[in-house]
Amino acid sequence: METIVKKIETIMKSGYVCDHCLGRQFAQLLTGTTNVERGKSIRMFAAILYDADEIDVDPSNFYGIKLRNKKSGDKKKCIVCEGAFDNMGKVAKKIAKKLGKIEFDTFLMGTRPTRKILENEERLWDKIGIEHCEPIKAEFNRELGKVLENIMEKKADIKTPHVSILYDMKNGISIQIKSIYIYGEYQKLKRGIPQTKWPSGKYKVSIEQIVAKPIMKVARGSGHKFHGYGREDIDALCTGWRPFVIEILSPKKRSFNLKEIQREINRDKRVKVRSLRWSSSEEVVRIKQGRGKKEYKCVVVCKRPIEKNELKQLKELERIIAQRTPTRVLHRRSNLLRKRRVFKISAKPLSSKKFEFKVLAESGTYIKELVSGDMGRTRPSISSILNNECTCKNLIVTKIEKKL
Ligand SMILES: [Zn+2]
């Protein structure tokens, strides 16, 4: 193994190496100091060796140092970082300017050196080994992070940064802003509104859009995503409060008054929201996996008149039923057989051909099909038990059990 002096000579022989890049090759030696400090000390020591004619190196390394017996060379560009560290202050200012209009407390700094710089580093390591060194990327991130902490008065944070900054030495600066998440519960008070934006533009407005509008106005995000705790049919109402998390992508502002937002959303009479609070991506996962019982109410319309006594037979529905994917959604969902538990039902006659039907069922039960039977694809069904042709009208989700 080469001695440290030999290594220093090898490094400085290749050309001018700046304090950062010189010190970094010995970053694993000493602690509580910086690579710049290491570099400065090594340079001074090397200057002594050079002045005593004990090493043979590129004299540009001693630019600005007064030697007694030899001449120091002219200033040159660092053969490893190619001046990247000298340029750091300018980069920091540019980043701070870019972040000027964004609200955040914490950031993460990332750097992508040019291919050329990485090759310079590799070439040097080939000669001196990697025993004591630190990669340039690590030092650059740390040092630029420190400068940014100072000029922006924000904190570097690896785990949960509000913004991630990437300084690509070739392509420039890019910034990623972490989404904000807001939890709430909604009621849908008007039929014909889908939960999320319909791709074909068939429906003019969605619950997502109604909820997102006042938030986007304040947060000024680039977009939004709606994560619902299940969803009701477009033509159904939902008076039970359905949990959701709305995600705002790339928000410029990430703290504001949710009470005001809630009031703003509730100006729209088609949707009502409550319990707005800050949420997280972890909660989105839980919301999506949510499997609570649901209670529904609808009017069942029968083709032939029904006897009041007949309705008692419907108690037979309180069991596990089998449902094939409904014909109405078969074009976008795979044809599966699902078993769902119906916990509780009740029926109240309204007229000779109509009755009110209430049902408490496992999450994912298709209620319209539980009524109609969907040509035998749901078994049993109201149609099959009453031996009548029954349809579900005015469907309302009345209760949603929260299992979060
Ligand atoms: Zn350098």
Side-chain angles (χ1 to χ4, degrees):
M1 195 190 293
E2 274 190 304
T3 64
I4 297 290
V5 170
K6 200 76 199 143
K7 281 185 184 178
I8 293 169
E9 187 178 17
T10 307
I11 296 166
M12 291 183 143
K13 208 172 190 167
S14 329
Y16 171 72
V17 181
C18 75
D19 288 336
H20 284 276
C21 295
L22 183 57
R24 196 171 59 251
Q25 310 315 321
F26 305 96
Q28 310 296 329
L29 301 169
L30 307 187
T31 178
T33 182
T34 62
N35 289 336
V36 179
E37 290 306 317
R38 285 185 187 88
K40 277 187 181 142
S41 308
I42 291 168
R43 190 177 310 279
M44 202 48 90
F45 175 53
I48 291 171
L49 296 176
Y50 184 68
D51 211 17
D53 207 16
E54 287 189 13
I55 54 170
D56 175 25
V57 299
D58 186 322
S60 67
N61 278 296
F62 308 122
Y63 168 82
I65 298 175
K66 287 176 185 156
L67 305 175
R68 252 182 217 280
N69 307 311
K70 299 213 170 189
K71 272 186 79 177
S72 47
D74 292 333
K75 197 179 182 184
K76 283 191 199 163
K77 199 152 98 178
C78 173
I79 54 156
V80 184
C81 72
E82 306 189 332
F85 282 96
D86 295 337
N87 201 26
M88 187 179 268
K90 265 193 209 161
V91 174
K93 272 187 195 154
K94 267 194 199 165
I95 292 173
K97 201 178 166 200
K98 270 205 161 199
L99 289 171
K101 287 193 174 129
I102 299 164
E103 183 193 1
F104 69 101
D105 298 327
T106 51
F107 69 92
L108 174 68
M109 189 62 231
T111 303
R112 190 178 294 149
T114 61
R115 223 192 142 99
K116 179 88 189 315
I117 290 175
L118 292 175
E119 281 169 8
N120 295 342
E121 188 173 59
E122 285 290 335
R123 207 176 308 124
L124 190 62
W125 289 347
D126 283 346
K127 290 183 203 160
I128 62 159
I130 53 164
E131 208 186 347
H132 308 303
C133 75
E134 180 192 20
I136 184 169
K137 214 170 123 163
E139 186 187 3
F140 206 89
N141 285 343
R142 185 176 60 243
E143 294 304 316
L144 187 51
K146 276 193 228 165
V147 177
L148 286 173
E149 277 190 322
N150 276 325
I151 62 173
M152 301 191 302
E153 294 178 352
K154 309 282 182 189
K155 278 217 125 359
D157 178 358
I158 305 171
K159 276 191 191 155
T160 52
H162 288 165
V163 293
S164 301
I165 307 156
L166 176 68
Y167 171 48
D168 183 321
M169 292 187 185
K170 186 170 168 232
N171 301 312
I173 301 153
S174 57
I175 283 157
Q176 261 195 347
I177 311 173
K178 196 175 166 249
S179 294
I180 47 172
Y181 301 87
I182 298 167
Y183 172 91
E185 293 167 13
Y186 77 79
Q187 283 184 321
K188 184 171 117 188
L189 306 171
K190 193 170 185 304
R191 298 182 195 275
I193 304 174
Q195 190 184 66
T196 52
K197 204 176 164 202
W198 208 251
S200 66
K202 190 176 167 191
Y203 300 93
K204 282 197 193 75
V205 73
S206 63
I207 291 169
E208 174 178 10
Q209 285 163 297
I210 294 171
V211 172
K213 205 177 163 190
I215 305 175
M216 289 292 278
K217 217 169 138 187
V218 182
R220 288 174 287 130
S222 65
H224 47 80
K225 282 186 191 164
F226 194 89
H227 311 283
Y229 185 72
R231 58 173 67 204
E232 60 283 328
D233 287 334
I234 294 172
D235 61 358
L237 294 182
C238 179
T239 58
W241 294 92
R242 190 184 293 280
F244 66 88
V245 170
I246 186 157
E247 176 181 355
I248 306 294
L249 309 168
S250 287
K252 303 238 173 18
K253 203 164 167 9
R254 56 193 317 120
S255 58
F256 40 85
N257 189 330
L258 291 181
K259 281 221 169 72
E260 273 170 32
I261 294 288
Q262 185 164 313
R263 221 174 298 134
E264 218 26 64
I265 296 169
N266 285 338
R267 279 169 191 269
D268 193 300
K269 298 301 170 210
R270 297 170 290 188
V271 171
K272 197 166 179 176
V273 296
R274 70 173 188 190
S275 309
L276 252 54
R277 60 165 169 77
W278 299 104
S279 177
S280 63
S281 57
E282 289 79 29
E283 192 165 42
V284 169
V285 176
R286 292 201 297 276
I287 286 262
K288 284 184 159 173
Q289 290 167 344
R291 289 258 164 268
K293 293 175 200 166
K294 314 264 164 67
E295 193 184 81
Y296 303 83
K297 193 169 92 175
C298 69
V299 173
V300 175
V301 180
C302 308
K303 199 169 183 192
R304 287 184 292 100
I306 36 158
E307 303 278 335
K308 199 179 167 189
N309 274 345
E310 277 186 275
L311 293 183
K312 284 182 186 151
Q313 298 168 26
L314 293 180
K315 279 281 171 196
E316 282 175 38
L317 283 175
E318 290 175 359
R319 48 168 281 184
I320 290 173
I321 58 153
Q323 295 198 300
R324 281 215 160 269
T325 305
T327 21
R328 66 187 162 99
V329 297
L330 209 47
H331 63 284
R332 55 190 167 94
R333 301 224 177 114
S334 47
N335 188 6
L336 296 174
L337 184 71
R338 296 179 182 78
K339 306 252 174 178
R340 291 286 183 263
R341 180 170 282 280
V342 174
F343 297 100
K344 201 165 188 285
I345 69 117
S346 70
K348 195 173 86 187
L350 297 170
S351 67
S352 64
K353 289 183 180 177
K354 277 184 190 173
F355 65 91
E356 186 188 83
F357 178 59
K358 278 186 189 168
V359 53
L360 177 69
E362 194 181 334
S363 167
T365 310
Y366 290 107
I367 302 303
K368 287 174 182 168
E369 284 67 24
L370 179 67
V371 175
S372 72
D374 198 22
M375 297 177 299
R377 294 173 70 86
T378 287
R379 282 177 195 197
S381 67
I382 293 185
S383 292
S384 74
I385 290 171
L386 299 181
N387 194 21
N388 203 327
E389 207 176 290
C390 305
T391 30
C392 166
K393 301 275 181 203
N394 304 341
L395 183 63
I396 305 174
V397 186
T398 49
K399 241 181 223 165
I400 295 166
E401 181 197 30
K402 264 177 280 172
K403 258 190 176 173
L404 291 172

